[in-house]
Amino acid sequence: VVADVVTFNSLITACARSRKWEKAFEWFSKMPQYNVIADIVTFNSLISACEKCGQWEKALQVYRVMKIREVAPDTITFNSLISACEKGWQWKE
């Protein structure tokens, strides 16, 4: 089986659903080894993992990386970011 963006997105999403944000980031960090480029689903899944675990600062970091990599955010991105900041009592962010 060849690892592609769908494979990694599935792994990261599974980690998010299991509230294992650190493991989600481990999978994300392995993507370059397989020449896989993160897409909007990858970033949204990472932000979701952060949101579920109260890691609002990490969620904002992921958003900054998205901007640097020129991956356009969508409604899911912003909803997850708002939720992450709300759960972290960071409404001003």
Side-chain angles (χ1 to χ4, degrees):
V1 175
V2 177
D4 60 9
V5 72
V6 175
T7 306
F8 279 98
N9 287 347
S10 296
L11 290 165
I12 292 168
T13 299
C15 292
R17 289 183 181 153
S18 301
R19 299 180 189 272
K20 298 185 180 196
W21 68 273
E22 292 168 315
K23 190 68 175 172
F25 277 88
E26 283 180 37
W27 287 115
F28 176 69
S29 69
K30 292 179 182 183
M31 291 176 77
Q33 292 173 297
Y34 294 89
N35 295 318
V36 176
I37 298 171
D39 62 10
I40 186 66
V41 175
T42 312
F43 287 107
N44 284 346
S45 297
L46 283 172
I47 291 170
S48 178
C50 295
E51 179 264 333
K52 285 176 177 32
C53 297
Q55 298 292 321
W56 65 271
E57 292 171 302
K58 280 282 192 191
L60 292 175
Q61 266 184 335
V62 172
Y63 176 66
R64 288 186 202 103
V65 172
M66 280 180 74
K67 287 171 60 175
I68 291 167
R69 294 192 186 181
E70 298 180 349
V71 176
D74 60 11
T75 304
I76 295 169
T77 309
F78 290 119
N79 285 342
S80 294
L81 285 169
I82 290 167
S83 182
C85 290
E86 181 269 330
K87 287 179 179 175
W89 295 79
Q90 299 299 317
W91 303 298
K92 295 178 184 178
E93 295 296 324

